[in-house]
Amino acid sequence: PKTARILRDGLEVEVSADAIVVGDHIVVRPGEKVPVDGILLEGYSAVDESMLTGESLPVDKKPNDPVTGASLNKNGTFTFSATKVGNDTVLAHIINMVDEAQSSKAPIQKIVDKVSGYFIPFVLVAAIMTFNFWFFILGFQLNYLYKPIIYAVSVLVVACPCALGLATPTAMMVGMGKGAQRGILIKNGEMLERACKIDMVVLDKTGTLTTGKPEVTDVFFFGTGANPQTERELVLLAATAERKSEHPLGVAIYEMGKKQSTEMEMTSSQAFEAIPGKGIAAVLNERSVFIGTENLMADNAIPCGIADKVLSDLRAGGKTAVLMAVDGNLVAVFALMDKVKESASSAVAALLKMGIQVCMLTGDNELTARAVAKNIGIGHVIAQVLPQHKADEVMKFRQQGKVVAMVGDGINDAPALAAADLGFAIGTGTDVAIEIGDIVLLRESLMTIPEAIRLSRKTMRKIKQNLFWAFIYNIMGIPFAAAGRLNPIIAAAAMAFSSISVVLNSLRIGHFKGDTKSPLV
C-alpha cells in the first residue's frame, strides 16, 4: 500500500507508507493491505498471506501474533506495532534474495561458458577453412569471390551460440521464479542444481516434523500421597522454575502452571541455568530444583528408579517425559506430546517414492523418537543427539558418500544446516536458520521439500534438453553451411528457431505442479 493509518495522540493520521518508522502503531481495516511487518496489539482478524507462503487459506491473527507487510486483511480491524520497515521487511528480503538468485550462475552454466570459449574459435576456424576450401582448392576465380564469402558467412550465422547462452539462464530464472510462487525460496543457481542430486534428507523433529508447540498431557507425582495442595504447589514450583526457559518443553510446563495459578504466585527464581540438551537448574525459596532428562538427574545423583514404569509407558506411547526433582528427590514426571504436522507423513512418503532416504534427528530418547517416527513412516532414527552434535551426524552421512539435505527451523539446527550439502530452513523458524539455509520454505507444509527437489530435477532436465538442442542445431548446421547447402537467410532462420525453441522449452517449467501426483521427473 502507498499509505497507512498510524495513531498519533489517539487520532488516526494517514501518512505515506515510506514515512512509517519502527514503533509506530498502525490501524488496518478489512480489505486493506498490511503496510509493514509488525506485532499485532489489539483486535482479531484473518489475514491472507498467500503472497508470502502460497497458502490460500487466511491465517487467524490475535494479539502478539506477527503480521507481514503486503499481506491482505480479510476481516476485522486491528492495530499493530511496526517492527520492520523499508528494506528490513520480509517482502524486501524475498525480493533481494530472488534478484540475487536469478543473477547467479549454476555450476553447469560455468561449464557451458567454458565450452563456448572453445566453440567460438572453432567456428571462426571452420568459417576460414570453408572460405579457403571454396576459393583456393576448387579454384574459384575472383569473379566468384561472393560464393566463398556467402558459404563462410553461413557457417558463422548458423553456428551463432545464442541458444547455447540461453540454455541455462532461462531455465534457471523460470525455475527459481516458479519456486518463489510455490513458497520455495532458492538462494542461488548452485543450490537449485545441487537439489536434484540429493539422495538423503535428514529431518529435525521438534518444530520441523512437529508443530514445535508441545502440551502437557499428564503429570505423575511421587511421594506426595493424595494431597492436592502439595501437587498444586509442585506444579507452581515447576512453572516458576521454567519461567525463564525458551525451550518448547519448558514453555509448555510454564503455560500449564500459569493456567492453575496467577502471576503473583510465581516468585522470581534466585538462580537459573539452562543446560543444553538436558534441562534446567534453578533455586526458588532456597529450594534446589532440577527439571529435565534422566541424564540431568544422573549428573546430579538423583535416583529415578521409582519412575521407571511411568517413563517406559510414556515413551512407548510416543510422549516426551520431563522429570522434576526438588532438594535431591524425584517428585514428578511431566508427560508432553508434540503434535505431528499433517503434512509430515505425506512428505516422507513422497521422498521415499523418489528414491531418497529419510532420517529423523532428535534430542528425544530412543523410544519416544521411534514411536513418533513410526507414525510418520520414517525407518531411520538417530535419537538423544545434543544440539552441538547434530552437525557431526550430518557429516557422517556425507563421509559415506551421500548428498545430504538437512531440514530444520531452530538456532540449534543452524550448524547442521551449514554442514549439509543443502540446508532447507523452515520459513516460520528462527532468523539464524533462515540466514544459513540454502533453500527457505515459506509455507508451513513439509510437502515443499519434495516439491523443491522435483522442481530442481525438472529444471535440470530442461537445461540438458536445451543444451542438446543448441548443440544439435550447430552440429547439423555447420556441415550443411560449409558444403554450400545452406544460404545465410535459412541459416539465420535456423539460428533464431533454435533460440526460440530453447526459450519455449524453459517456459514449460512454469507448468510445474506441486502435488504428489505430478511425474517425479
Side-chain angles (χ1 to χ4, degrees), residues 205 210 311-321 335-340 364-373 375:
K205 175 180 163 284
T210 62
L311 296 175
S312 178
D313 291 343
L314 290 177
R315 288 161 183 165
K319 294 183 179 181
T320 299
L336 298 98
M337 175 71 83
D338 192 0
K339 187 179 178 183
V340 174
D364 272 352
N365 66 80
E366 191 81 19
L367 282 174
T368 302
R370 290 202 174 277
V372 173
N375 290 335

Side-chain angles (χ1 to χ4, degrees), residues 280-292:
I280 66 158
V283 177
L284 295 103
N285 300 326
E286 299 182 358
R287 302 177 75 182
S288 172
V289 180
F290 290 99
I291 304 176

Side-chain angles (χ1 to χ4, degrees), residues 111-436:
I111 296 172
V112 172
D113 290 345
K114 192 172 183 179
V115 170
S116 297
Y118 292 106
F119 178 73
I120 292 170
F122 166 77
V123 171
L124 292 173
V125 170
I128 293 169
M129 290 178 64
T130 299
F131 177 87
N132 290 339
F133 176 81
W134 285 100
F135 184 74
F136 292 108
I137 297 180
L138 295 184
F140 277 92
Q141 302 300 318
L142 286 176
N143 56 334
Y144 291 104
L145 182 63
Y146 73 93
K147 282 190 176 182
I149 291 176
I150 286 176
Y151 297 157
V153 168
S154 294
V155 170
L156 290 173
V157 172
V158 79
C160 179
C162 295
L164 200 61
L166 290 169
T168 301
T170 52
M172 281 287 178
M173 289 185 72
V174 177
M176 289 178 178
K178 188 63 182 178
Q181 287 178 356
R182 298 289 305 167
I184 302 166
L185 235 113
I186 304 163
K187 290 191 175 179
N188 57 55
E190 182 178 355
M191 301 309 153
L192 179 62
E193 180 178 341
R194 195 179 296 173
C196 73
K197 301 172 184 176
I198 291 170
D199 52 25
M200 182 160 206
V201 172
V202 178
L203 295 154
D204 172 56
K205 175 180 163 284
T206 305
T208 302
L209 287 170
T210 62
T211 59
K213 296 178 181 178
E215 295 180 355
V216 178
T217 59
D218 306 280
V219 184
F220 301 88
F221 298 97
F222 302 94
T224 61
N227 187 343
Q229 182 64 33
T230 304
E231 293 177 359
R232 183 179 178 277
E233 287 174 0
L234 288 176
V235 170
L236 178 61
L237 195 65
T240 306
E242 293 283 11
R243 194 174 188 176
K244 296 180 181 178
S245 176
E246 295 181 356
H247 193 282
L249 298 179
V251 172
I253 293 173
Y254 168 71
E255 291 294 334
M256 183 200 69
K258 193 167 69 170
K259 291 176 184 177
Q260 299 181 18
S261 59
T262 64
E263 288 289 334
M264 293 294 292
E265 291 180 281
M266 294 187 184
T267 58
S268 298
S269 57
Q270 294 159 306
F272 176 87
E273 181 187 3
I275 304 165
K278 293 183 179 180
I280 66 158
V283 177
L284 295 103
N285 300 326
E286 299 182 358
R287 302 177 75 182
S288 172
V289 180
F290 290 99
I291 304 176
T293 64
E294 285 181 272
N295 289 336
L296 178 66
M297 301 300 154
D299 291 346
N300 293 278
I302 299 170
C304 300
I306 192 173
D308 283 348
K309 187 177 186 310
V310 170
L311 296 175
S312 178
D313 291 343
L314 290 177
R315 288 161 183 165
K319 294 183 179 181
T320 299
V322 176
L323 291 76
M324 176 182 179
V326 178
D327 294 332
N329 298 309
L330 184 72
V331 294
V333 172
F334 294 87
L336 298 98
M337 175 71 83
D338 192 0
K339 187 179 178 183
V340 174
K341 290 180 181 178
E342 293 181 3
S343 58
S345 297
S346 52
V348 170
L351 289 169
L352 293 173
K353 189 175 180 181
M354 295 166 69
I356 297 171
Q357 292 179 272
V358 181
C359 173
M360 186 177 85
L361 200 62
T362 178
D364 272 352
N365 66 80
E366 191 81 19
L367 282 174
T368 302
R370 290 202 174 277
V372 173
K374 185 178 179 181
N375 290 335
I376 299 172
I378 299 175
H380 192 176
V381 178
I382 301 176
Q384 294 179 301
V385 182
L386 293 175
Q388 61 267 32
H389 295 155
K390 287 185 176 181
D392 297 336
E393 296 296 335
V394 170
M395 288 304 299
K396 286 178 185 178
F397 289 127
R398 292 188 64 186
Q399 288 164 6
Q400 294 171 15
K402 299 183 184 298
V403 180
V404 182
M406 173 70 193
V407 186
D409 72 313
I411 293 174
N412 60 344
D413 298 324
L417 289 170
D421 292 289
L422 196 69
F424 285 88
I426 304 296
T428 53
T430 64
D431 290 342
V432 174
I434 293 170
E435 187 66 30
I436 292 178

